[in-house]
Amino acid sequence: MMMTRAILASVAAAAALGAVVAAANGAAQAPAGFDGGRAYEHLRQVVAFGPRPAGSAALASTRGYIKKQLADIGIQAVEQAFDADTPVGRIHMVNLIARIPGASPDRIVFAGHYDTKLFREFRFVGANDAGSSTAFLIEWARVMKARKNPLTVELLFLDGEEATVEWGGTDRTYGSRHYVQVAQREKTLPSLRALILVDMIADRDLTIRRETASTPWLTEAIWAAAKRLKRTDAFLDSSAEIEDDHLPFLQAGVPAVDIIDGPDDYPPWHTAGDTLDKVSARSLQTVGDVLLEALPAIEKRLASR
């Protein structure tokens, strides 16, 4: 009787251990969720490079950091280099492009800029603008790599979004305009089915409004997801007109949406105060959760077009 109990106990223990291992394996195989804490750590690392204007050594270091983080999860980033004529002279700029193959070669692009505006009168480290978009895309890459994607996912880190002097004319959106021009020249634009742009998304007091120029159905898909997740405190039903990197894509006929906590809602915008204490992992988490929730509906809509 004593031996029978011991055997039964051993069997039970083995079964319990097997259940734990199975659960662990199941968790490892499950699609990865967005991790705001991971994204925030990337943001912290990027801000540590200091001011990162186009053409600077600090931006080159940032580029190296991005490429290494992507390589560590098995994604290769390709440089799209170009020389831009600006009001302060010719500047060498580099877009970074990384693709995760999906069931279709047609692609959905997730983009954001990684440069900061040049200020000579104060030190501008751009925690929110553009540390947040840089960090978000690195973490988003990890999530997309673990997911079965019906479309190829492209991650686009844009250089030269910021004006070198003052926003207006051609002194802005250098990277996105160059990317679209190359795509038009190489006739690859038709395979670009949609663009989702993120910018200034880590504000502790996150207030994202519907950007008026953005493609309505894309906007609606994202705001419907926010409503399902009860995140209407961050994704507001009011609207705002914002000029950003999505405009060259819209002008080329690509459906595009700008997810941005605009300058009017972020007092430290383009000041020395855009620092780590003004941003949060929670805000990054909110945007990641909402976009991940919205993605199946967006993919379904694109499949029917």
Side-chain angles (χ1 to χ4, degrees):
M1 188 71 175
M2 294 269 305
M3 183 175 293
T4 302
R5 286 178 178 171
I7 292 171
L8 289 174
S10 297
V11 170
L17 180 59
V20 170
V21 170
N25 289 338
Q29 294 167 2
F34 189 90
D35 188 330
R38 284 176 180 263
Y40 183 85
E41 177 56 24
H42 291 309
L43 195 162
R44 193 183 68 80
Q45 295 286 345
V46 166
V47 167
F49 291 119
R52 307 172 299 284
S56 67
L59 193 63
S61 296
T62 305
R63 195 157 52 245
Y65 178 81
I66 295 168
K67 292 169 73 173
K68 182 181 186 306
Q69 297 307 309
L70 296 181
D72 285 349
I73 56 174
I75 302 173
Q76 180 184 11
V78 176
E79 294 190 359
Q80 184 185 65
F82 62 102
D83 293 319
D85 291 318
T86 81
V88 297
R90 179 163 286 195
I91 298 177
H92 187 68
M93 299 185 184
V94 182
N95 293 330
L96 281 180
I97 303 168
R99 290 183 181 172
I100 303 169
S104 167
D106 285 354
R107 65 199 195 278
I108 181 169
V109 177
F110 296 91
H113 73 103
Y114 72 107
D115 63 308
T116 57
K117 183 165 175 55
L118 173 64
F119 290 101
R120 301 188 188 281
E121 58 270 35
F122 58 83
R123 189 171 186 269
F124 180 67
V125 299
N128 199 28
D129 186 18
S132 65
S133 51
T134 307
F136 179 90
L137 289 176
I138 296 171
E139 170 60 9
W140 190 253
R142 184 188 67 84
V143 177
M144 293 296 100
K145 186 70 164 59
R147 184 176 181 267
K148 289 185 178 179
N149 300 299
L151 296 169
T152 292
V153 171
E154 182 171 298
L155 304 157
L156 177 57
F157 297 81
L158 293 162
D159 199 352
E161 185 268 352
E162 298 286 5
T164 59
V165 179
E166 186 173 350
W167 186 278
T170 59
D171 189 19
R172 59 178 180 169
T173 61
Y174 293 93
S176 54
R177 287 188 289 115
H178 178 78
Y179 178 94
V180 170
Q181 289 164 6
V182 171
Q184 289 172 324
R185 184 170 67 244
E186 297 181 350
K187 303 187 185 322
T188 59
L189 205 59
S191 68
L192 202 173
R193 306 298 302 282
L195 171 93
I196 297 175
L197 178 70
V198 293
D199 195 1
M200 296 173 61
I201 52 168
D203 181 1
R204 281 182 175 276
D205 182 20
L206 191 64
T207 49
I208 298 173
R209 304 178 194 277
R210 295 171 183 254
E211 198 287 309
T212 55
S214 296
T215 303
W217 73 261
L218 266 175
T219 301
E220 185 53 41
I222 293 166
W223 261 253
K227 186 174 290 187
R228 290 195 298 273
L229 295 180
K230 297 181 170 41
R231 293 320 315 260
T232 53
D233 57 326
F235 284 76
L236 310 182
D237 266 333
S238 56
S239 62
E241 181 180 0
I242 298 176
E243 296 182 346
D244 207 345
D245 274 320
H246 64 311
L247 295 182
F249 292 87
L250 287 170
Q251 291 159 4
V254 177
V257 62
D258 188 11
I259 305 301
I260 182 170
D261 184 322
D264 290 344
D265 293 312
Y266 186 64
W269 176 69
H270 284 185
T271 73
D274 187 4
T275 47
L276 283 174
D277 58 309
K278 309 302 192 309
V279 298
S280 77
R282 182 177 183 274
S283 295
L284 290 164
Q285 185 72 54
T286 294
V287 176
D289 288 345
V290 169
L291 286 186
L292 201 53
E293 172 71 16
L295 192 51
I298 293 170
E299 291 166 334
K300 183 177 179 181
R301 171 68 180 254
L302 292 175
S304 67
R305 288 176 73 241

